[in-house]
Amino acid sequence: PIWSLVADPEDLWGGSDGLYANYMSDLERPLHLEYWEPGQPRVFSMNAGASIHGSVSRGYPQKSLALKFRTGYQESSVSHPFFGSEGPSDFSRLLLRNAGQDWCDAHARCGLVARIAGNMDVDLQSFRPSVVYLNGEFWGIHNIRERIDKFHPQTNYGENPDRLDLLELNGWIVHQGDYQAFFQMEDFVLGQDLT
């Protein structure tokens, strides 16, 4: 598949407002995106928001982008089965990932591990390689990934995102909800004789 992302150059590379110039920030900028499946006419054309995504990989020349669909841009979601007919087909967020720490190496390990683990009963991010053009220039291979955020359980399981505790135990970060139920579970487990 092919993505074409078009934005004001200042929104991408401008000194104080550009995503790529301020890649460690949480800036979000508007853009227009178009998407094609192999051998098909254009699937969709719409406005959306984008921000740089990732942690260590933000420092690489090729950045991961989080695509955000909101009614303020145009639509609150994009409907397309990016990961096949058996996966979800309505997304509030998508990632165009640079392969993370695998960027300088195979560029496919994270997605490959997710596919191998696909038969296990664990929650995984779907994965699909794609080609990205940014303002008409070839910007390399980016992996289309689901974003693990408050919308992920709604997209995949129909769960209400407002009833979710989304916690990052590495750093004790609360992305959604709170730690109350987690600490109750932890107290229960630690208080039991597991022999």
Side-chain angles (χ1 to χ4, degrees):
I2 298 172
W3 294 90
S4 171
L5 310 177
V6 177
D8 183 323
E10 277 296 309
D11 286 341
L12 297 174
W13 296 286
S16 61
D17 294 329
L19 294 178
Y20 285 84
N22 300 282
Y23 58 87
M24 292 305 289
S25 75
D26 291 328
L27 290 173
E28 180 177 322
R29 295 292 177 252
L31 52 71
H32 183 78
L33 56 92
E34 296 184 345
Y35 179 81
W36 292 265
E37 286 286 353
Q40 295 182 16
R42 183 179 64 200
V43 175
F44 60 81
S45 173
M46 64 189 303
N47 296 324
S51 61
I52 302 295
H53 177 81
S55 184
V56 174
S57 67
R58 287 175 179 245
Y60 297 148
Q62 183 187 37
K63 316 284 187 223
S64 296
L65 294 170
L67 301 178
K68 301 172 183 183
F69 307 99
R70 289 197 259 279
T71 53
Y73 292 118
Q74 186 171 354
E75 302 292 335
S76 61
S77 65
V78 61
S79 295
H80 182 71
F82 292 99
F83 309 108
S85 59
E86 294 183 18
S89 61
D90 194 50
F91 300 90
S92 298
R93 308 277 191 272
L94 279 173
L95 296 179
L96 296 178
R97 193 163 182 263
N98 67 354
Q101 281 79 27
D102 198 29
W103 179 76
C104 297
D105 297 314
H107 211 275
R109 288 185 184 125
C110 188
L112 178 62
V113 168
R115 285 216 176 137
I116 291 170
N119 293 329
M120 301 171 71
D121 190 20
V122 295
D123 196 25
L124 300 167
Q125 287 175 283
S126 296
F127 158 83
R128 188 172 178 204
S130 69
V131 171
V132 172
Y133 288 85
L134 187 58
N135 281 2
E137 291 186 42
F138 177 70
W139 215 248
I141 296 171
H142 288 66
N143 298 317
I144 308 170
R145 301 296 300 262
E146 293 179 275
R147 184 169 185 203
I148 303 294
D149 61 9
K150 74 177 194 174
F151 299 106
H152 181 79
Q154 181 180 32
T155 300
N156 287 273
Y157 309 109
E159 295 294 328
N160 182 345
D162 296 326
R163 298 187 61 219
L164 171 71
D165 292 330
L166 183 59
L167 314 173
E168 187 174 335
L169 299 180
N170 182 16
W172 294 98
I173 300 168
V174 176
H175 294 281
Q176 172 79 13
D178 60 44
Y179 275 106
Q180 184 177 353
F182 176 81
F183 286 137
Q184 289 173 349
M185 178 192 66
E186 182 183 52
D187 288 345
F188 173 79
V189 170
L190 294 175
Q192 302 303 306
D193 180 4
L194 299 179
T195 58

